[in-house]
Amino acid sequence: GDSVTQMEGPVTLSEEAFLTINCTYTATGYPSLFWYVQYPGEGLQLLLKATKADDKGSNKGFEATYRKETTSFHLEKGSVQVSDSAVYFCALSENAYSGAGSYQLTFGKGTKLSVIP
Amino acid sequence: DGGITQSPKYLFRKEGQNVTLSCEQNLNHDAMYWYRQDPGQGLRLIYYSQIVNDFQKGDIAEGYSVSREKKESFPLTVTSAQKNPTAFYLCASSKIPGTSGGYNEQFFGPGTRLTVL
């Protein structure tokens, strides 16, 4: 079955440091890939997405590139802020166009990021 | 503003009691989902519904029940048969996969934290 593996947390960075959170996946079809963010005590918000190979999703200074050859979708940000402290989830969805359309999102276990001033 | 609401935000239950968590959306989405979140385990799918009066079990449906009498509403009942119900519960909704570029972008509510006393 499908699976998503994220780097273990927690990750603690100083403000303005460079962030990378690794995400790799296994899927039977040709999935779409997502990064969700969860701030303390809240639900998940979609941060960015990519639907085909070499697509780059970007939002709020975060970026991730869909790498089919390495089955990866690593999240990066050049300069983190204290307000970026949250839990980040990588997820995939089988693409309906591949004939494997699915209602299910498969999530990684999440990576907690703490940014200190 | 369109979105998903969940109530209550916090819920306390005595052992042996059933409790119902509310989820309402005004995004005109056909599909709705319930997830359970436990520390360090990511999100696990409990139930999902593609259309009114129809729903399917997810990965951890035992001890839970749902109904979908209206498109906007998808309440979750945590029954006394659920042996470890203390968790954070998240509701989500989406368009039908294949109608939004082939992928399943889900929108989440703010969550309900259930504690068994």
Side-chain angles (χ1 to χ4, degrees), chain A residues 32 34 36 38 41-46 49 51 89 93-97 101-105 107-110, chain B residues 9 31 33 35 37 40-43 45 48 50 59 88 90 96-98 101-106 108-110:
Chain A
S32 295
F34 306 85
Y36 282 85
Q38 184 179 34
E42 298 183 8
L44 275 67
Q45 301 174 25
L46 180 66
K49 62 181 182 281
T51 59
F89 291 92
S93 169
E94 289 286 2
N95 191 320
Y97 291 163
S102 171
Y103 283 84
Q104 296 202 26
L105 279 179
F107 286 89
K109 293 187 176 182
Chain B
K9 188 171 178 64
Y33 313 79
Y35 291 91
Q37 185 178 19
Q41 293 198 41
L43 276 72
L45 183 65
Y48 67 99
Q50 305 170 39
D59 301 319
F88 191 51
L90 289 160
I96 299 295
Y103 54 86
N104 182 0
E105 180 178 341
Q106 295 183 14
F108 285 81

Side-chain angles (χ1 to χ4, degrees), chain A residues 7-37:
Chain A
M7 64 186 289
E8 294 282 330
V11 174
T12 302
L13 295 174
S14 297
E15 207 166 20
E16 299 184 1
F18 184 85
L19 168 71
T20 299
I21 300 177
N22 290 338
C23 171
T24 57
Y25 67 90
T26 56
T28 53
Y30 197 154
S32 295
L33 302 172
F34 306 85
W35 276 102
Y36 282 85
V37 59

Side-chain angles (χ1 to χ4, degrees), chain A residues 31-82:
Chain A
S32 295
L33 302 172
F34 306 85
W35 276 102
Y36 282 85
V37 59
Q38 184 179 34
Y39 298 102
E42 298 183 8
L44 275 67
Q45 301 174 25
L46 180 66
L47 181 60
L48 52 84
K49 62 181 182 281
T51 59
K52 60 183 187 295
D54 299 324
D55 266 2
K56 177 184 283 188
S58 61
N59 186 25
K60 299 181 181 179
F62 291 89
E63 294 182 339
T65 301
Y66 189 143
R67 301 288 188 200
K68 191 167 175 13
E69 64 276 14
T70 54
T71 62
S72 65
F73 192 54
H74 304 322
L75 182 68
E76 297 181 336
K77 186 174 185 182
S79 176
V80 293
Q81 305 300 312
V82 172

